[in-house]
PDB file of all heavy atoms in Angstrom:
ATOM      1  N   ALA A   1     -68.409  51.103 -14.034  1.00  0.00           N
ATOM      2  CA  ALA A   1     -69.756  50.595 -14.208  1.00  0.00           C
ATOM      3  C   ALA A   1     -70.486  50.670 -12.924  1.00  0.00           C
ATOM      4  O   ALA A   1     -71.750  50.912 -12.903  1.00  0.00           O
ATOM      5  CB  ALA A   1     -69.720  49.153 -14.719  1.00  0.00           C
ATOM      6  N   ASP A   2     -69.880  50.454 -11.762  1.00  0.00           N
ATOM      7  CA  ASP A   2     -70.500  50.477 -10.472  1.00  0.00           C
ATOM      8  C   ASP A   2     -71.105  51.871 -10.184  1.00  0.00           C
ATOM      9  O   ASP A   2     -72.101  52.000  -9.508  1.00  0.00           O
ATOM     10  CB  ASP A   2     -69.593  50.053  -9.368  1.00  0.00           C
ATOM     11  CG  ASP A   2     -69.184  48.613  -9.499  1.00  0.00           C
ATOM     12  OD1 ASP A   2     -70.027  47.773  -9.896  1.00  0.00           O
ATOM     13  OD2 ASP A   2     -68.020  48.287  -9.202  1.00  0.00           O
ATOM     14  N   THR A   3     -70.406  52.907 -10.628  1.00  0.00           N
ATOM     15  CA  THR A   3     -70.814  54.268 -10.257  1.00  0.00           C
ATOM     16  C   THR A   3     -71.682  54.824 -11.385  1.00  0.00           C
ATOM     17  O   THR A   3     -72.431  55.793 -11.127  1.00  0.00           O
ATOM     18  CB  THR A   3     -69.597  55.148 -10.087  1.00  0.00           C
ATOM     19  OG1 THR A   3     -68.853  55.158 -11.270  1.00  0.00           O
ATOM     20  CG2 THR A   3     -68.734  54.587  -8.979  1.00  0.00           C
ATOM     21  N   CYS A   4     -71.586  54.356 -12.640  1.00  0.00           N
ATOM     22  CA  CYS A   4     -72.302  54.994 -13.705  1.00  0.00           C
ATOM     23  C   CYS A   4     -73.692  54.397 -14.019  1.00  0.00           C
ATOM     24  O   CYS A   4     -74.382  54.914 -14.870  1.00  0.00           O
ATOM     25  CB  CYS A   4     -71.393  54.958 -14.963  1.00  0.00           C
ATOM     26  SG  CYS A   4     -69.882  55.957 -14.817  1.00  0.00           S
ATOM     27  N   THR A   5     -74.044  53.284 -13.431  1.00  0.00           N
ATOM     28  CA  THR A   5     -75.301  52.615 -13.733  1.00  0.00           C
ATOM     29  C   THR A   5     -75.760  51.802 -12.520  1.00  0.00           C
ATOM     30  O   THR A   5     -74.955  51.255 -11.805  1.00  0.00           O
ATOM     31  CB  THR A   5     -75.237  51.755 -14.956  1.00  0.00           C
ATOM     32  OG1 THR A   5     -76.481  51.115 -15.122  1.00  0.00           O
ATOM     33  CG2 THR A   5     -74.172  50.683 -14.829  1.00  0.00           C
ATOM     34  N   ASN A   6     -77.038  51.775 -12.307  1.00  0.00           N
ATOM     35  CA  ASN A   6     -77.630  51.019 -11.297  1.00  0.00           C
ATOM     36  C   ASN A   6     -78.411  49.827 -11.824  1.00  0.00           C
ATOM     37  O   ASN A   6     -79.197  49.133 -11.100  1.00  0.00           O
ATOM     38  CB  ASN A   6     -78.600  51.881 -10.412  1.00  0.00           C
ATOM     39  CG  ASN A   6     -77.822  52.925  -9.602  1.00  0.00           C
ATOM     40  OD1 ASN A   6     -76.735  52.632  -9.057  1.00  0.00           O
ATOM     41  ND2 ASN A   6     -78.335  54.118  -9.530  1.00  0.00           N
ATOM     42  N   GLU A   7     -78.255  49.554 -13.108  1.00  0.00           N
ATOM     43  CA  GLU A   7     -78.993  48.470 -13.759  1.00  0.00           C
ATOM     44  C   GLU A   7     -78.487  47.097 -13.176  1.00  0.00           C
ATOM     45  O   GLU A   7     -77.349  46.957 -12.772  1.00  0.00           O
ATOM     46  CB  GLU A   7     -78.807  48.494 -15.238  1.00  0.00           C
ATOM     47  CG  GLU A   7     -79.390  49.748 -15.907  1.00  0.00           C
ATOM     48  CD  GLU A   7     -79.003  49.861 -17.390  1.00  0.00           C
ATOM     49  OE1 GLU A   7     -78.281  48.979 -17.789  1.00  0.00           O
ATOM     50  OE2 GLU A   7     -79.451  50.815 -17.994  1.00  0.00           O
ATOM     51  N   GLY A   8     -79.330  46.140 -13.304  1.00  0.00           N
ATOM     52  CA  GLY A   8     -78.984  44.773 -12.829  1.00  0.00           C
ATOM     53  C   GLY A   8     -77.920  44.195 -13.786  1.00  0.00           C
ATOM     54  O   GLY A   8     -77.760  44.598 -14.949  1.00  0.00           O
ATOM     55  N   ARG A   9     -77.182  43.223 -13.223  1.00  0.00           N
ATOM     56  CA  ARG A   9     -76.099  42.581 -14.012  1.00  0.00           C
ATOM     57  C   ARG A   9     -76.572  42.029 -15.307  1.00  0.00           C
ATOM     58  O   ARG A   9     -75.933  42.287 -16.367  1.00  0.00           O
ATOM     59  CB  ARG A   9     -75.494  41.546 -13.102  1.00  0.00           C
ATOM     60  CG  ARG A   9     -74.257  40.874 -13.735  1.00  0.00           C
ATOM     61  CD  ARG A   9     -73.939  39.613 -12.954  1.00  0.00           C
ATOM     62  NE  ARG A   9     -74.828  38.521 -13.259  1.00  0.00           N
ATOM     63  CZ  ARG A   9     -74.818  37.299 -12.621  1.00  0.00           C
ATOM     64  NH1 ARG A   9     -73.943  37.091 -11.706  1.00  0.00           N
ATOM     65  NH2 ARG A   9     -75.640  36.404 -13.027  1.00  0.00           N
ATOM     66  N   ASP A  10     -77.599  41.186 -15.235  1.00  0.00           N
ATOM     67  CA  ASP A  10     -78.005  40.518 -16.515  1.00  0.00           C
ATOM     68  C   ASP A  10     -78.561  41.496 -17.500  1.00  0.00           C
ATOM     69  O   ASP A  10     -78.293  41.369 -18.701  1.00  0.00           O
ATOM     70  CB  ASP A  10     -79.102  39.451 -16.142  1.00  0.00           C
ATOM     71  CG  ASP A  10     -78.563  38.360 -15.311  1.00  0.00           C
ATOM     72  OD1 ASP A  10     -77.306  38.182 -15.305  1.00  0.00           O
ATOM     73  OD2 ASP A  10     -79.331  37.679 -14.710  1.00  0.00           O
ATOM     74  N   GLU A  11     -79.346  42.498 -17.065  1.00  0.00           N
ATOM     75  CA  GLU A  11     -79.830  43.477 -18.003  1.00  0.00           C
ATOM     76  C   GLU A  11     -78.706  44.269 -18.629  1.00  0.00           C
ATOM     77  O   GLU A  11     -78.737  44.595 -19.803  1.00  0.00           O
ATOM     78  CB  GLU A  11     -80.815  44.427 -17.297  1.00  0.00           C
ATOM     79  CG  GLU A  11     -81.483  45.452 -18.215  1.00  0.00           C
ATOM     80  CD  GLU A  11     -82.377  46.345 -17.442  1.00  0.00           C
ATOM     81  OE1 GLU A  11     -82.642  46.141 -16.260  1.00  0.00           O
ATOM     82  OE2 GLU A  11     -82.879  47.320 -18.089  1.00  0.00           O
ATOM     83  N   ARG A  12     -77.728  44.672 -17.796  1.00  0.00           N
ATOM     84  CA  ARG A  12     -76.593  45.435 -18.311  1.00  0.00           C
ATOM     85  C   ARG A  12     -75.787  44.624 -19.329  1.00  0.00           C
ATOM     86  O   ARG A  12     -75.310  45.147 -20.325  1.00  0.00           O
ATOM     87  CB  ARG A  12     -75.682  45.859 -17.129  1.00  0.00           C
ATOM     88  CG  ARG A  12     -74.736  46.996 -17.481  1.00  0.00           C
ATOM     89  CD  ARG A  12     -74.044  47.548 -16.275  1.00  0.00           C
ATOM     90  NE  ARG A  12     -72.909  46.795 -15.882  1.00  0.00           N
ATOM     91  CZ  ARG A  12     -72.654  46.275 -14.713  1.00  0.00           C
ATOM     92  NH1 ARG A  12     -73.575  46.367 -13.756  1.00  0.00           N
ATOM     93  NH2 ARG A  12     -71.584  45.631 -14.453  1.00  0.00           N
ATOM     94  N   PHE A  13     -75.604  43.324 -19.050  1.00  0.00           N
ATOM     95  CA  PHE A  13     -74.927  42.444 -19.948  1.00  0.00           C
ATOM     96  C   PHE A  13     -75.647  42.321 -21.287  1.00  0.00           C
ATOM     97  O   PHE A  13     -75.046  42.419 -22.392  1.00  0.00           O
ATOM     98  CB  PHE A  13     -74.694  41.075 -19.363  1.00  0.00           C
ATOM     99  CG  PHE A  13     -74.129  40.077 -20.338  1.00  0.00           C
ATOM    100  CD1 PHE A  13     -72.718  40.147 -20.670  1.00  0.00           C
ATOM    101  CD2 PHE A  13     -74.913  39.143 -21.003  1.00  0.00           C
ATOM    102  CE1 PHE A  13     -72.241  39.212 -21.607  1.00  0.00           C
ATOM    103  CE2 PHE A  13     -74.345  38.268 -21.884  1.00  0.00           C
ATOM    104  CZ  PHE A  13     -73.045  38.307 -22.226  1.00  0.00           C
ATOM    105  N   GLN A  14     -77.008  42.168 -21.236  1.00  0.00           N
ATOM    106  CA  GLN A  14     -77.754  42.012 -22.476  1.00  0.00           C
ATOM    107  C   GLN A  14     -77.681  43.285 -23.283  1.00  0.00           C
ATOM    108  O   GLN A  14     -77.600  43.224 -24.545  1.00  0.00           O
ATOM    109  CB  GLN A  14     -79.261  41.639 -22.120  1.00  0.00           C
ATOM    110  CG  GLN A  14     -80.044  41.248 -23.317  1.00  0.00           C
ATOM    111  CD  GLN A  14     -79.512  39.987 -23.995  1.00  0.00           C
ATOM    112  OE1 GLN A  14     -79.196  38.984 -23.353  1.00  0.00           O
ATOM    113  NE2 GLN A  14     -79.349  40.089 -25.304  1.00  0.00           N
ATOM    114  N   LYS A  15     -77.717  44.418 -22.659  1.00  0.00           N
ATOM    115  CA  LYS A  15     -77.562  45.666 -23.391  1.00  0.00           C
ATOM    116  C   LYS A  15     -76.215  45.771 -24.114  1.00  0.00           C
ATOM    117  O   LYS A  15     -76.066  46.244 -25.289  1.00  0.00           O
ATOM    118  CB  LYS A  15     -77.782  46.858 -22.497  1.00  0.00           C
ATOM    119  CG  LYS A  15     -79.227  47.190 -22.119  1.00  0.00           C
ATOM    120  CD  LYS A  15     -79.351  48.422 -21.386  1.00  0.00           C
ATOM    121  CE  LYS A  15     -80.815  48.811 -21.127  1.00  0.00           C
ATOM    122  NZ  LYS A  15     -80.982  50.126 -20.486  1.00  0.00           N
ATOM    123  N   ALA A  16     -75.174  45.361 -23.360  1.00  0.00           N
ATOM    124  CA  ALA A  16     -73.834  45.380 -24.022  1.00  0.00           C
ATOM    125  C   ALA A  16     -73.774  44.428 -25.128  1.00  0.00           C
ATOM    126  O   ALA A  16     -73.169  44.740 -26.184  1.00  0.00           O
ATOM    127  CB  ALA A  16     -72.804  45.023 -22.898  1.00  0.00           C
ATOM    128  N   LEU A  17     -74.339  43.240 -24.982  1.00  0.00           N
ATOM    129  CA  LEU A  17     -74.311  42.230 -26.074  1.00  0.00           C
ATOM    130  C   LEU A  17     -75.043  42.794 -27.302  1.00  0.00           C
ATOM    131  O   LEU A  17     -74.584  42.677 -28.435  1.00  0.00           O
ATOM    132  CB  LEU A  17     -74.913  40.907 -25.620  1.00  0.00           C
ATOM    133  CG  LEU A  17     -74.856  39.779 -26.585  1.00  0.00           C
ATOM    134  CD1 LEU A  17     -73.471  39.361 -26.919  1.00  0.00           C
ATOM    135  CD2 LEU A  17     -75.645  38.606 -25.925  1.00  0.00           C
ATOM    136  N   ASP A  18     -76.217  43.343 -27.140  1.00  0.00           N
ATOM    137  CA  ASP A  18     -77.018  43.881 -28.194  1.00  0.00           C
ATOM    138  C   ASP A  18     -76.358  45.032 -28.864  1.00  0.00           C
ATOM    139  O   ASP A  18     -76.522  45.344 -30.091  1.00  0.00           O
ATOM    140  CB  ASP A  18     -78.430  44.322 -27.713  1.00  0.00           C
ATOM    141  CG  ASP A  18     -79.287  43.139 -27.295  1.00  0.00           C
ATOM    142  OD1 ASP A  18     -78.945  42.033 -27.737  1.00  0.00           O
ATOM    143  OD2 ASP A  18     -80.231  43.328 -26.567  1.00  0.00           O
ATOM    144  N   THR A  19     -75.538  45.802 -28.147  1.00  0.00           N
ATOM    145  CA  THR A  19     -74.819  46.929 -28.704  1.00  0.00           C
ATOM    146  C   THR A  19     -73.715  46.490 -29.661  1.00  0.00           C
ATOM    147  O   THR A  19     -73.495  47.079 -30.722  1.00  0.00           O
ATOM    148  CB  THR A  19     -74.168  47.779 -27.644  1.00  0.00           C
ATOM    149  OG1 THR A  19     -75.217  48.330 -26.749  1.00  0.00           O
ATOM    150  CG2 THR A  19     -73.361  48.951 -28.187  1.00  0.00           C
ATOM    151  N   ILE A  20     -73.023  45.399 -29.265  1.00  0.00           N
ATOM    152  CA  ILE A  20     -71.862  44.913 -30.076  1.00  0.00           C
ATOM    153  C   ILE A  20     -72.284  43.936 -31.122  1.00  0.00           C
ATOM    154  O   ILE A  20     -71.819  43.952 -32.241  1.00  0.00           O
ATOM    155  CB  ILE A  20     -70.822  44.278 -29.143  1.00  0.00           C
ATOM    156  CG1 ILE A  20     -70.392  45.265 -28.089  1.00  0.00           C
ATOM    157  CG2 ILE A  20     -69.599  43.802 -29.927  1.00  0.00           C
ATOM    158  CD1 ILE A  20     -69.822  46.607 -28.570  1.00  0.00           C
ATOM    159  N   VAL A  21     -73.157  42.997 -30.799  1.00  0.00           N
ATOM    160  CA  VAL A  21     -73.623  41.957 -31.736  1.00  0.00           C
ATOM    161  C   VAL A  21     -75.107  42.085 -31.939  1.00  0.00           C
ATOM    162  O   VAL A  21     -75.918  41.713 -31.104  1.00  0.00           O
ATOM    163  CB  VAL A  21     -73.293  40.534 -31.224  1.00  0.00           C
ATOM    164  CG1 VAL A  21     -73.653  39.506 -32.217  1.00  0.00           C
ATOM    165  CG2 VAL A  21     -71.831  40.443 -30.825  1.00  0.00           C
ATOM    166  N   ARG A  22     -75.470  42.627 -33.025  1.00  0.00           N
ATOM    167  CA  ARG A  22     -76.906  42.829 -33.321  1.00  0.00           C
ATOM    168  C   ARG A  22     -77.556  41.467 -33.526  1.00  0.00           C
ATOM    169  O   ARG A  22     -76.992  40.577 -34.149  1.00  0.00           O
ATOM    170  CB  ARG A  22     -77.106  43.764 -34.532  1.00  0.00           C
ATOM    171  CG  ARG A  22     -76.695  45.200 -34.237  1.00  0.00           C
ATOM    172  CD  ARG A  22     -76.947  46.100 -35.430  1.00  0.00           C
ATOM    173  NE  ARG A  22     -76.715  47.523 -35.088  1.00  0.00           N
ATOM    174  CZ  ARG A  22     -75.510  48.035 -35.103  1.00  0.00           C
ATOM    175  NH1 ARG A  22     -74.457  47.326 -35.392  1.00  0.00           N
ATOM    176  NH2 ARG A  22     -75.365  49.306 -34.705  1.00  0.00           N
ATOM    177  N   PRO A  23     -78.835  41.346 -33.120  1.00  0.00           N
ATOM    178  CA  PRO A  23     -79.504  40.056 -33.134  1.00  0.00           C
ATOM    179  C   PRO A  23     -79.456  39.396 -34.548  1.00  0.00           C
ATOM    180  O   PRO A  23     -79.234  38.196 -34.662  1.00  0.00           O
ATOM    181  CB  PRO A  23     -80.913  40.355 -32.738  1.00  0.00           C
ATOM    182  CG  PRO A  23     -80.770  41.523 -31.851  1.00  0.00           C
ATOM    183  CD  PRO A  23     -79.633  42.342 -32.349  1.00  0.00           C
ATOM    184  N   GLY A  24     -79.580  40.125 -35.581  1.00  0.00           N
ATOM    185  CA  GLY A  24     -79.573  39.627 -36.914  1.00  0.00           C
ATOM    186  C   GLY A  24     -78.246  39.038 -37.366  1.00  0.00           C
ATOM    187  O   GLY A  24     -78.194  38.143 -38.148  1.00  0.00           O
ATOM    188  N   ASP A  25     -77.178  39.634 -36.779  1.00  0.00           N
ATOM    189  CA  ASP A  25     -75.843  39.151 -37.134  1.00  0.00           C
ATOM    190  C   ASP A  25     -75.529  37.793 -36.497  1.00  0.00           C
ATOM    191  O   ASP A  25     -74.589  37.157 -36.956  1.00  0.00           O
ATOM    192  CB  ASP A  25     -74.770  40.247 -36.647  1.00  0.00           C
ATOM    193  CG  ASP A  25     -74.865  41.491 -37.517  1.00  0.00           C
ATOM    194  OD1 ASP A  25     -75.369  41.396 -38.641  1.00  0.00           O
ATOM    195  OD2 ASP A  25     -74.427  42.516 -37.011  1.00  0.00           O
ATOM    196  N   ARG A  26     -76.185  37.471 -35.399  1.00  0.00           N
ATOM    197  CA  ARG A  26     -75.820  36.242 -34.758  1.00  0.00           C
ATOM    198  C   ARG A  26     -76.163  34.996 -35.580  1.00  0.00           C
ATOM    199  O   ARG A  26     -75.566  33.993 -35.519  1.00  0.00           O
ATOM    200  CB  ARG A  26     -76.503  36.149 -33.383  1.00  0.00           C
ATOM    201  CG  ARG A  26     -76.066  37.257 -32.428  1.00  0.00           C
ATOM    202  CD  ARG A  26     -76.793  37.114 -31.118  1.00  0.00           C
ATOM    203  NE  ARG A  26     -76.972  38.424 -30.528  1.00  0.00           N
ATOM    204  CZ  ARG A  26     -77.706  38.682 -29.490  1.00  0.00           C
ATOM    205  NH1 ARG A  26     -78.349  37.750 -28.902  1.00  0.00           N
ATOM    206  NH2 ARG A  26     -77.795  39.908 -29.024  1.00  0.00           N
ATOM    207  N   ALA A  27     -77.222  35.137 -36.415  1.00  0.00           N
ATOM    208  CA  ALA A  27     -77.655  34.050 -37.256  1.00  0.00           C
ATOM    209  C   ALA A  27     -76.704  33.903 -38.469  1.00  0.00           C
ATOM    210  O   ALA A  27     -76.484  32.777 -39.004  1.00  0.00           O
ATOM    211  CB  ALA A  27     -79.057  34.205 -37.751  1.00  0.00           C
ATOM    212  N   ARG A  28     -76.069  35.069 -38.886  1.00  0.00           N
ATOM    213  CA  ARG A  28     -75.128  34.985 -39.930  1.00  0.00           C
ATOM    214  C   ARG A  28     -73.763  34.982 -39.260  1.00  0.00           C
ATOM    215  O   ARG A  28     -73.608  35.040 -38.091  1.00  0.00           O
ATOM    216  CB  ARG A  28     -75.287  36.180 -40.899  1.00  0.00           C
ATOM    217  CG  ARG A  28     -76.672  36.308 -41.442  1.00  0.00           C
ATOM    218  CD  ARG A  28     -76.706  37.441 -42.496  1.00  0.00           C
ATOM    219  NE  ARG A  28     -76.356  38.676 -41.918  1.00  0.00           N
ATOM    220  CZ  ARG A  28     -77.197  39.513 -41.343  1.00  0.00           C
ATOM    221  NH1 ARG A  28     -78.441  39.219 -41.180  1.00  0.00           N
ATOM    222  NH2 ARG A  28     -76.764  40.711 -40.907  1.00  0.00           N
ATOM    223  N   HIS A  29     -72.683  34.945 -40.104  1.00  0.00           N
ATOM    224  CA  HIS A  29     -71.363  35.047 -39.558  1.00  0.00           C
ATOM    225  C   HIS A  29     -70.882  36.498 -39.591  1.00  0.00           C
ATOM    226  O   HIS A  29     -69.873  36.809 -40.190  1.00  0.00           O
ATOM    227  CB  HIS A  29     -70.407  34.136 -40.256  1.00  0.00           C
ATOM    228  CG  HIS A  29     -69.075  33.961 -39.553  1.00  0.00           C
ATOM    229  ND1 HIS A  29     -68.997  33.676 -38.212  1.00  0.00           N
ATOM    230  CD2 HIS A  29     -67.825  34.050 -39.987  1.00  0.00           C
ATOM    231  CE1 HIS A  29     -67.719  33.666 -37.871  1.00  0.00           C
ATOM    232  NE2 HIS A  29     -66.995  33.857 -38.904  1.00  0.00           N
ATOM    233  N   GLY A  30     -71.659  37.367 -38.855  1.00  0.00           N
ATOM    234  CA  GLY A  30     -71.285  38.823 -38.839  1.00  0.00           C
ATOM    235  C   GLY A  30     -70.554  39.134 -37.637  1.00  0.00           C
ATOM    236  O   GLY A  30     -70.683  40.240 -37.090  1.00  0.00           O
ATOM    237  N   ILE A  31     -69.682  38.270 -37.175  1.00  0.00           N
ATOM    238  CA  ILE A  31     -68.934  38.525 -35.924  1.00  0.00           C
ATOM    239  C   ILE A  31     -67.472  38.621 -36.279  1.00  0.00           C
ATOM    240  O   ILE A  31     -66.946  38.221 -37.347  1.00  0.00           O
ATOM    241  CB  ILE A  31     -69.131  37.371 -34.918  1.00  0.00           C
ATOM    242  CG1 ILE A  31     -68.630  36.062 -35.530  1.00  0.00           C
ATOM    243  CG2 ILE A  31     -70.547  37.274 -34.481  1.00  0.00           C
ATOM    244  CD1 ILE A  31     -68.487  35.001 -34.531  1.00  0.00           C
ATOM    245  N   GLY A  32     -66.767  39.267 -35.318  1.00  0.00           N
ATOM    246  CA  GLY A  32     -65.301  39.314 -35.498  1.00  0.00           C
ATOM    247  C   GLY A  32     -64.835  40.216 -36.624  1.00  0.00           C
ATOM    248  O   GLY A  32     -63.670  40.152 -36.961  1.00  0.00           O
TER     249      GLY A  32
END
């Protein structure tokens, strides 16, 4: 990750979260 992206930590984390858990799924039990 250090070599493949220069994005900030928080922005990179938010992108990862949105990739795995879509916003609509968080309100429902669409996890796991």
Side-chain angles (χ1 to χ4, degrees):
D2 293 323
T3 61
C4 295
T5 177
N6 292 319
E7 296 171 359
R9 183 192 75 184
D10 294 341
E11 182 181 355
R12 198 169 85 234
F13 173 77
Q14 191 60 49
K15 282 189 174 183
L17 184 61
D18 291 342
T19 298
I20 304 302
V21 184
R22 292 182 172 84
D25 289 338
R26 296 179 211 171
R28 305 188 301 273
H29 190 47
I31 60 168

